[in-house]
């Protein structure tokens, strides 16, 4: 499936991947032989350098919604990439925040598929990177081969650019796309999609998405061992700031004050700490917000079976090493910790900011303190309900002065295991000799709720070969030419997207 770096590695990978279009059962349907992959393989290999350059060019355009940095330029570049890939209609969609994009590609096919892209990325501290985050340099990474290091390399510009390379390869091979595409893209995913609904709820967008059988996004799904997970949903999220300030509280200083005055002046920073401790259990691991678990649905017996099966096929030590952790919460075993990962809502502190945080000390009594937080949600919680419960919890304990500034958020998602989307994913992975691990839901979040919920009510999820890591962290990378025989590089991942489109075209 994958092989060593360099041109010979790419050739070997493409010759081995899904050789000849194997028989793939699609739940009562059969993609009897699949397409003839030879023209696509040749085109992918021919366009390898072009595909890599396209991704590098995209990464080199910073597009950070949290800092309002490069967003208009990022939107324009993404629109140009859609047009170059064959979308006949590409429209900028203004919102109250950063613009979205609505694009369509009519191939005259009987089946239409929806797609979701994001063009924004997380913030960076360049000093933490071994290679500048917006230079998109190709480097050798031991155990993986040639990788691109850069912000957005795997989340999500790498997989998305690889999918666009698949469209170029199909057209370059003189073939028609087997499905029509409806694309919606946003520039605020990394700030919890506060305005994405303003794109999708437009009548022309809803009408186009209503014709789709499902909505999916490209994803580098392979682990370092080459395995893949299929997630049957994702947790919801609320992103917010809790702010304690002397000005709003009416106690403590209105601005930073010499710390000697602490003997006679209240501290907004300690006020925030006291409020935060009410939100979680004593060890910080369980939400303690009033009625938080009222609508939390427990795992079903089948979901527990899925998790147990996945755990039995994973290397716990390798998982810990990749995450950089030594123990799970409360010293739980791997199975119990994995069940929590899928089933438990969370209250997480992303960052704490108060007073002076530079080199050395500075004796001040801060006038303002901020906790940057995210709250992960599971079925059957909703973002609206969770926000209301948080505010009520703080007010009940006398913390009405703590400002709750919600910047974005949305509900959890769920997709049926027998949907055409999931059947097509299983078919492609199994055709490559990989038995996917079925997981009840992704512990992270994406705004799939807008597709899986009313009025669209479509299956939605992720698919893709290839590997990357470091999302939201320094030294984010995406594998280009794999030296790991179990992991695809960009060419193998490109071919997987072509196969997937054909598999979707064959499902009902």
């Amino acid at each position: 499936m994958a092989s060593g770096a360099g041109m010979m590695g790419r050739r070997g990978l493409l010759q081995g991947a899904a050789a000849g279009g194997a028989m793939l059962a699609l739940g009562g349907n059969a993609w009897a032989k699949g397409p003839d992959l030879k023209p696509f393989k040749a085109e992918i290999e021919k366009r390898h350098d072009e595909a890599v350059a396209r991704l590098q060019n995209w990464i080199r355009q910073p597009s950070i919604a949290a800092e309002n940095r490069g967003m208009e330029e990022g939107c324009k570049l993404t629109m140009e990439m859609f047009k170059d890939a064959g979308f006949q209609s590409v429209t900028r969609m203004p919102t109250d925040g950063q613009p979205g994009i609505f694009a369509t590609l009519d191939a005259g096919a009987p089946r239409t598929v929806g797609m979701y892209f994001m063009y924004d990325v997380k913030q960076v501290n360049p000093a933490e990177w071994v290679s500048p985050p917006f230079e998109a340099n190709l480097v050798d990474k031991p155990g993986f081969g040639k990788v691109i290091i850069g912000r957005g390399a795997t989340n999500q510009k790498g997989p998305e650019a690889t999918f666009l390379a698949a469209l170029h390869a199909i057209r370059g091979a003189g073939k028609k796309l087997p499905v029509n595409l409806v694309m919606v893209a946003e520039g605020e995913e990394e700030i919890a999609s506060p305005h994405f609904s303003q794109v999708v709820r437009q009548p022309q967008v809803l009408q186009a998405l209503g014709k789709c059988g499902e909505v999916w996004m490209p994803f580098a799904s392979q682990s370092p061992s080459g395995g893949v997970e299929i997630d049957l949903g994702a947790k919801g999220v609320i992103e917010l700031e809790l702010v304690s300030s002397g000005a709003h509280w009416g106690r403590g200083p209105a601005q930073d004050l010499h710390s000697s005055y602490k003997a006679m002046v209240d501290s907004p920073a300690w006020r925030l700490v006291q409020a935060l401790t009410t939100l979680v259990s004593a060890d910080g691991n369980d939400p303690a917000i009033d009625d938080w678990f009222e609508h939390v649905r427990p795992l079903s017996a089948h979901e527990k079976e899925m998790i147990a099966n996945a755990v039995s096929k994973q290397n716990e030590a390798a998982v810990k090493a990749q995450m950089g952790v030594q123990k799970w919460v409360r010293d739980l075993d791997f199975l119990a910790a994995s069940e929590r990962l899928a089933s438990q809502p969370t209250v997480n502190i992303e960052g704490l900011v108060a007073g002076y945080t530079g080199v050395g000390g500075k004796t001040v009594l801060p006038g303002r303190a901020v906790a940057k937080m995210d709250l992960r949600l599971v079925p059957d919680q909703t973002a609206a309900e969770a926000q209301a419960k948080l505010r009520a919890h703080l007010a009940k304990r006398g913390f009405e002065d703590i400002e709750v500034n919600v910047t974005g958020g949305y509900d959890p998602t769920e997709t049926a295991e027998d949907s055409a989307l999931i059947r097509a994913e299983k078919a492609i992975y199994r055709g490559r000799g990989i038995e996917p691990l079925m997981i009840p839901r992704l512990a992270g979040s994406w705004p799939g709720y807008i597709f899986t919920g009313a009025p669209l009510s479509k299956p939605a999820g992720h698919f893709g070969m290839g590997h990357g890591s470091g999302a939201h962290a320094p030294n984010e990378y995406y594998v280009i030419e794999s030296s790991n025989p179990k992991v695809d590089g960009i060419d193998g991942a490109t071919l997987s997207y072509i196969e997937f489109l054909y598999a979707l075209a064959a499902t009902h």
Side-chain angles (χ1 to χ4, degrees), residues 224-421:
S225 64
V228 297
E229 290 182 1
I230 295 179
D231 301 297
L232 300 177
K235 289 185 178 179
V237 70
I238 302 172
E239 195 158 9
L240 59 90
E241 291 183 345
L242 296 185
V243 182
S244 174
S245 67
H248 198 261
W249 184 18
R251 306 181 69 89
Q255 58 190 13
D256 288 3
L257 187 67
H258 194 283
S259 66
S260 63
Y261 290 107
K262 178 65 196 77
M264 64 188 301
V265 179
D266 288 301
S267 166
W270 280 115
R271 177 74 170 169
L272 178 62
V273 169
Q274 291 165 350
L276 289 171
T277 60
T278 74
L279 302 182
V280 291
S281 58
D283 63 2
N285 289 322
D286 289 334
I289 299 168
D290 293 339
D291 300 321
W292 197 249
F293 286 86
E294 179 184 8
H295 296 131
V296 169
R297 186 202 310 164
L299 292 172
S300 68
H302 180 55
E303 288 173 329
K304 288 184 177 182
E305 288 174 7
M306 282 189 226
I307 295 168
N309 178 64
V311 165
S312 71
K313 296 178 180 178
Q314 291 177 299
N315 182 321
E316 181 181 8
V319 173
K320 284 181 173 177
Q322 186 179 14
M323 295 171 66
V325 302
Q326 298 180 31
K327 297 178 181 295
W328 306 124
V329 296
R330 298 170 185 158
D331 293 322
L332 294 175
D333 61 34
F334 193 22
L335 176 59
S338 297
E339 287 186 352
R340 279 181 61 89
L341 184 64
S343 66
Q344 293 296 295
T346 60
V347 174
N348 178 58
I349 297 175
E350 300 173 354
L352 292 169
V353 184
Y356 177 71
T357 59
V359 178
K362 184 180 180 185
T363 48
V364 295
L365 169 57
R368 188 172 187 267
V370 180
K372 295 177 180 289
M373 307 189 69
D374 61 70
L375 316 178
R376 302 283 174 175
L377 311 175
V378 299
D380 293 313
Q381 292 180 294
T382 68
E385 166 205 4
Q387 288 183 45
K389 287 181 175 178
L390 172 63
R391 295 177 192 275
H393 172 96
L394 291 171
K396 182 178 178 181
R397 285 156 181 78
F399 291 109
E400 298 98 330
D401 56 283
I402 301 291
E403 300 172 60
V404 181
N405 300 327
V406 175
T407 54
Y410 42 79
D411 298 344
T413 72
E414 292 187 278
T415 289
E417 191 172 355
D418 63 354
S419 65
L421 175 68

Side-chain angles (χ1 to χ4, degrees), residues 99-123:
I101 304 169
F102 169 50
T104 57
L105 195 165
D106 184 354
R111 202 166 188 280
T112 301
V113 172
M115 296 200 67
Y116 167 85
F117 267 34
M118 53 183 278
Y119 67 87
D120 64 316
V121 299
K122 275 291 185 186
Q123 306 94 310

Side-chain angles (χ1 to χ4, degrees), residues 393-461:
H393 172 96
L394 291 171
K396 182 178 178 181
R397 285 156 181 78
F399 291 109
E400 298 98 330
D401 56 283
I402 301 291
E403 300 172 60
V404 181
N405 300 327
V406 175
T407 54
Y410 42 79
D411 298 344
T413 72
E414 292 187 278
T415 289
E417 191 172 355
D418 63 354
S419 65
L421 175 68
I422 303 303
R423 286 187 283 118
E425 291 186 26
K426 288 180 179 178
I428 299 305
Y429 292 140
R430 288 170 176 167
R432 287 169 167 246
I434 300 171
E435 183 59 36
L437 301 179
M438 304 303 298
I439 304 296
R441 68 190 54 88
L442 184 70
S445 306
W446 74 296
Y449 81 102
I450 204 161
F451 310 119
T452 59
L456 289 170
S457 302
K458 305 289 183 182

